[in-house]
Amino acid sequence: MTDPMKEAARLISCHIDGVMSEDEQSRLAALMRQDSGIVELYVDMMLLDGHLTWGAVNSPSVSSERTTDSSVMQTDAGSDSSLAQWKHGAVSASVRKRQWSRPWSVTLGVVLIAVCVPGLFRLFRSFGPVTSVGPSATRALIHDPSVEDHSGDELSQSPELNPLHFDSLTRPIVVVPSVSTSDTADRPDVARNFFREGFSDEDIIAAINQQISQTLRENGIPPSPRAPAEEWARRAWLTVAGRIPSVDEIRSTPAGTESESRRVIMDRLLHSPERSRRLAEVWTGLLVGRSGHQRINRSALMEYLYDAFLENRPWITVVGQLISAEGSSDDNGATNFLLAHLDNQATPATAVTARLFLGEQLQCVQCHNHPFAQQVQQQDYWALNAFFQNAEATLDDVGRSTSSRQDQTFRLADRRVAGMTFYETRNGRQEAVVPAYDGRKIPAESSVHRRVVLAEYLATDSQLRVARAMINRMWAEFFGFGFTSRVDDMGPHAAVSHPQLLGLLSDAFVASGYDLQRLQRWIALSDAWQCSSQATPENEQDAPESGILPLFSRVYMRRMSPEQVYDSIRVAIRAVSMQTRETAEESDHRRRWINQFARPYDTDENDETNEFVGGITQAMVMMNDADVNSAIRRAIETLLARDDLSSSVDRVLEQVSLAVLTRRPTSRESALFRQYLKRTTRSAGRRTALPQVTEDLLWTYLNSSEFQLIH
């Protein structure tokens, strides 16, 4: 080692120890200008100290899976310069600002840019693998140890999936917000296997059946019997339309075989406005909560979503519009999503976007690396957050703005300001990143619309995270459980019950153009969803509610949401009196009734809990509701006023049972009803007894767990 190299090593050590003087800083800068070898020495020593750390350095297990770009950048004019590192495709500056004076940092920054960048640019590449974790060791759910991995340039194929991966592969045409990417950093296209255009729904349904039945066979667990027609119909209406079916809808079953009848019913539901209304309501709640936010127009957001689902817009298009929306909260309903989450440096927007659209809980890495997945690091969170840093909400001078805070209109727009996003690590160091996702990034000096670029990146994600997240969430909507223990936590640490099936559905969903109607149809017409929710002695150990991964030997029972309970009560009451079902509307009474069960957590992510659990207290809330009481009394009066029913106790009982529980009464229920009517008649007389007993029966059914469960 030459004398200059020894001197440089000593000076770098002083810098690492935090004892470097300004004269020594100037001397090190001069040495680095004279000899590029000293620059390499500087980088090596900083790597060892951890100031300039690539992901591959920290862990041998990670180094074999990912590499990183390295570059040093200078911050915006007028601000302090800082060293930065490219880590997992994002710029990360690790600087102890208190030890760096402005002249020294500027000088060294210029030197490193001039000397380092040409040699280090694209030294590594970041692929960011995500691996599905297999079943627990205590009970193997799938004996085939292969798992899905989207990290490489090709999707690994298992023999079982080969028949559905056709030779002719095409990318679907999906509408996403457009942006000129001339000043964004591209990555090579990642080759994916896509289904040929025109593949049939039957192909995908058959693949679902094969995967589920294979898993059940390997675990020695038989599926539950096929659900009776009335049970299946009730579940179908609740899942797709958000309410129970009316008596007329149950009795007007389409002609044909049972399979043909169910197919016709499902197709009608999937093309009904109620399906769009249900999805819009669910996603409005997910995006902004039930209680809303003071900056948003919740009705405008719901109207936007309703139109999107009614038109069956590609899901990736809807996601892109929600992320990149601009304009007034009244005129562009999509803006209300981000308007509700721009507080605190847009950290809520980052967390909610990751959780809902990517199925990942990134808020846990806001302050530190992921405790269970080394691939997920703090800078990944802030690299995603950087896409939202320029977004701002301003009070709109036009529209419904008034002095009342509730009536104010807000506008969402982006400040087209280039720059980096700074954050603090757990040990107090300041680092910086540029917007980055899936190995692609936007240079700090670029003035492109960052949120539009993010929408494009999501649409071309090599790991299909938007597709996987929606499939997992929709599967859980139908079955009660998804492929992971939590539908919004699909990170590399999460165990996946059926990784091959999830991968297959992801490919098919993307190839369909993110067609949500087709995805729902695939799930609804699968053999597994035709099964009863009733467990058998042979499959009762398939109990995901106990914490194990589901096998889907049956459709798991779960409670209705408050919205489903409210709308189903309305349907039941009108069906009791044989009145035509009315179209459910977002009335003030409905909104108040539902909101009484929503409790905000007061977290940065604006989470809330649904406290409707069907207990005695909540039953009393239902019983004490004046509007519900009045409607029930009128329904009973109308029912018993019919000449063909007033003299037939059996027909009265059947009408109430079909209206509320979507089934005919059991022999035991019939016997109890008659006994109660007989006792009441002796004390009050027939004219008074029948309305009273029928009303009590209706209340008993409405407050039963059978009514409040989706099964």
Side-chain angles (χ1 to χ4, degrees):
M1 183 181 294
T2 62
D3 288 340
M5 293 292 283
K6 289 182 179 180
E7 182 182 4
R10 181 185 64 79
L11 293 173
I12 295 170
S13 297
C14 291
H15 165 58
I16 291 173
D17 294 336
V19 295
M20 177 179 280
S21 66
E22 289 191 13
D23 291 341
E24 289 172 327
Q25 292 172 357
S26 300
R27 175 56 180 164
L28 178 58
L31 290 172
M32 293 174 71
R33 283 194 297 268
Q34 296 169 6
D35 190 346
S36 61
I38 294 177
V39 175
E40 295 177 3
L41 174 65
Y42 174 85
V43 172
D44 289 339
M45 293 182 67
M46 295 294 282
L47 278 170
L48 292 174
D49 182 60
H51 280 256
L52 211 59
T53 306
W54 285 273
V57 175
N58 287 329
S59 169
S61 63
V62 176
S63 64
S64 63
E65 297 177 340
R66 62 168 23 173
T67 54
T68 59
D69 290 339
S70 168
S71 179
V72 181
M73 300 187 63
Q74 189 173 1
T75 59
D76 298 337
S79 64
D80 288 345
S81 299
S82 62
L83 281 177
Q85 59 172 353
W86 291 104
K87 182 177 180 182
H88 314 314
V91 179
S92 175
S94 178
V95 182
R96 293 179 179 173
K97 289 189 174 180
R98 64 182 181 274
Q99 298 171 359
W100 289 55
S101 64
R102 182 182 297 257
W104 159 241
S105 60
V106 172
T107 303
L108 184 56
V110 172
V111 170
L112 289 179
I113 290 174
V115 180
C116 291
V117 172
L120 297 179
F121 183 68
R122 290 198 178 277
L123 180 61
F124 299 102
R125 282 185 177 177
S126 172
F127 293 100
V130 172
T131 304
S132 298
V133 181
S136 64
T138 57
R139 185 168 69 88
L141 294 178
I142 300 177
H143 297 318
D144 187 349
S146 63
V147 294
E148 180 189 27
D149 187 352
H150 287 167
S151 60
D153 286 345
E154 297 180 358
L155 176 67
S156 61
Q157 302 181 29
S158 65
E160 293 81 6
L161 305 188
N162 286 339
L164 285 174
H165 287 274
F166 301 106
D167 296 332
S168 176
L169 305 178
T170 59
R171 275 189 185 271
I173 299 175
V174 178
V175 179
V176 295
S178 60
V179 64
S180 173
T181 56
S182 58
D183 52 355
T184 63
D186 295 328
R187 62 174 286 165
D189 287 337
V190 178
R192 293 285 311 174
N193 289 316
F194 289 98
F195 294 97
R196 178 187 301 161
E197 288 184 7
F199 67 90
S200 70
D201 292 343
E202 285 66 31
D203 291 335
I204 308 304
I205 295 169
I208 295 174
N209 296 340
Q210 187 271 331
Q211 292 284 323
I212 297 294
S213 61
Q214 176 181 329
T215 302
L216 292 175
R217 285 195 307 271
E218 291 174 348
N219 286 273
I221 294 179
S224 290
R226 194 173 177 88
E230 292 168 349
E231 176 187 331
W232 183 90
R234 185 180 190 275
R235 182 199 305 158
W237 259 275
L238 274 169
T239 303
V240 179
R243 62 168 178 86
I244 62 173
S246 68
V247 176
D248 288 341
E249 287 167 331
I250 289 297
R251 286 175 172 161
S252 59
T253 302
T257 65
E258 184 179 72
S259 295
E260 291 170 348
S261 174
R262 294 185 181 188
R263 192 178 300 272
V264 171
I265 290 173
M266 186 52 61
D267 285 342
R268 288 177 182 173
L269 285 171
L270 291 177
H271 289 87
S272 70
E274 285 187 283
R275 173 252 184 194
S276 303
R277 177 182 172 275
R278 167 68 179 159
L279 285 173
E281 187 164 60
V282 168
W283 275 94
T284 300
L286 290 171
L287 293 169
V288 299
R290 285 185 173 89
S291 54
H293 188 283
Q294 63 183 14
R295 272 204 303 259
I296 71 167
N297 184 337
R298 195 176 189 277
S299 297
L301 173 60
M302 188 165 176
E303 183 179 352
Y304 158 79
L305 290 170
Y306 174 83
D307 291 341
F309 291 125
L310 190 65
E311 297 166 8
N312 197 32
R313 293 178 201 164
W315 175 240
I316 194 66
T317 301
V318 177
V319 172
Q321 289 172 345
L322 289 168
I323 288 175
S324 63
E326 289 188 310
S328 165
S329 58
D330 289 355
D331 299 333
N332 184 358
T335 61
N336 290 281
F337 164 55
L338 285 182
L339 284 173
H341 302 297
L342 288 180
D343 303 322
N344 194 19
Q345 292 184 287
T347 53
T350 309
V352 176
T353 295
R355 187 175 72 244
L356 296 183
F357 302 140
L358 307 179
E360 297 182 1
Q361 295 279 350
L362 282 188
Q363 70 271 17
C364 65
V365 296
Q366 179 178 344
C367 302
H368 53 77
N369 294 339
H370 199 289
F372 307 119
Q374 290 182 337
Q375 303 98 315
V376 184
Q377 301 192 5
Q378 184 184 6
Q379 74 163 32
D380 296 331
Y381 175 93
W382 290 102
L384 181 61
N385 171 265
F387 286 101
F388 302 104
Q389 282 287 326
N390 291 349
E392 64 177 355
T394 57
L395 191 61
D396 198 348
D397 296 331
V398 186
R400 61 187 175 97
S401 299
T402 67
S403 58
S404 171
R405 192 182 184 104
Q406 278 188 325
D407 294 330
Q408 291 175 335
T409 301
F410 285 83
R411 178 170 293 275
L412 176 64
D414 270 17
R415 306 181 308 273
R416 302 299 174 87
V417 179
M420 304 175 73
T421 296
F422 292 87
Y423 66 95
E424 187 172 306
T425 64
R426 195 169 186 176
N427 59 10
R429 295 175 181 171
Q430 290 291 319
E431 297 195 359
V433 291
V434 294
Y437 177 80
D438 192 37
R440 290 172 290 183
K441 53 189 174 289
I442 302 176
E445 67 275 9
S446 172
S447 61
V448 298
H449 192 319
R450 292 182 172 184
R451 290 187 287 122
V452 172
V453 175
L454 176 59
E456 180 187 331
Y457 286 176
L458 294 179
T460 55
D461 183 358
S462 63
Q463 299 179 48
L464 309 184
R465 275 171 282 200
V466 173
R468 287 165 55 89
M470 178 50 104
I471 290 165
N472 200 32
R473 188 175 294 276
M474 192 55 64
W475 191 275
E477 181 72 15
F478 276 80
F479 281 94
F481 288 90
F483 296 113
T484 55
S485 59
R486 293 181 58 180
V487 294
D488 55 5
D489 193 6
M490 302 178 67
H493 63 288
V496 180
S497 65
H498 296 70
Q500 292 179 341
L501 178 56
L502 178 59
L504 181 147
L505 287 174
S506 299
D507 276 355
F509 186 43
V510 172
S512 73
Y514 289 84
D515 190 326
L516 193 54
Q517 273 183 346
R518 292 186 72 181
L519 173 61
Q520 290 180 291
R521 192 173 191 268
W522 300 338
I523 300 172
L525 296 180
S526 66
D527 287 347
W529 209 68
Q530 309 309 307
C531 291
S532 171
S533 60
Q534 185 66 43
T536 66
E538 292 78 19
N539 68 17
E540 62 183 3
Q541 66 267 40
D542 177 19
E545 64 273 12
S546 65
I548 64 174
L549 290 175
L551 296 174
F552 305 112
S553 62
R554 61 186 183 279
V555 178
Y556 308 104
M557 289 188 287
R558 68 254 189 221
R559 294 199 175 276
M560 293 187 198
S561 67
E563 292 86 353
Q564 289 171 316
V565 170
Y566 185 94
D567 292 339
S568 295
I569 288 175
R570 291 169 63 95
V571 170
I573 292 175
R574 295 187 69 86
V576 164
S577 59
M578 297 186 175
Q579 299 179 62
T580 304
R581 183 183 58 81
E582 62 180 348
T583 302
E585 297 178 354
E586 182 69 7
S587 64
D588 289 339
H589 178 264
R590 183 179 188 271
R591 190 179 302 110
R592 289 195 307 271
W593 194 89
I594 290 170
N595 285 346
Q596 67 185 320
F597 303 115
R599 296 289 183 271
Y601 283 129
D602 293 328
T603 62
D604 286 344
E605 291 75 43
N606 301 325
D607 292 335
E608 64 182 20
T609 180
N610 167 23
E611 295 185 349
F612 186 83
V613 295
I616 297 298
T617 302
Q618 292 179 344
M620 292 299 294
V621 170
M622 291 173 62
M623 293 180 186
N624 292 330
D625 189 292
D627 292 330
V628 174
N629 282 326
S630 176
I632 286 176
R633 281 193 295 271
R634 290 196 303 270
I636 299 300
E637 291 171 0
T638 305
L639 173 67
L640 298 180
R642 295 176 61 97
D643 294 335
D644 58 336
L645 288 177
S646 58
S647 60
S648 175
V649 173
D650 289 337
R651 292 193 63 186
V652 169
L653 176 59
E654 179 179 290
Q655 183 70 18
V656 175
S657 182
L658 279 172
V660 181
L661 301 181
T662 322
R663 63 165 175 79
R664 287 165 176 79
T666 65
S667 57
R668 175 170 172 76
E669 289 169 347
S670 180
L672 289 173
F673 181 71
R674 287 180 173 277
Q675 291 173 12
Y676 184 29
L677 177 61
K678 187 176 181 179
R679 290 197 308 270
T680 308
T681 300
R682 285 198 298 264
S683 60
R686 172 80 176 189
R687 187 178 183 86
T688 303
L690 186 56
Q692 178 182 329
V693 172
T694 305
E695 184 175 339
D696 289 346
L697 171 69
L698 179 53
W699 270 118
T700 301
Y701 278 162
L702 285 174
N703 286 282
S704 67
S705 59
E706 182 177 355
F707 173 74
Q708 296 176 11
L709 289 174
I710 303 174
H711 54 84

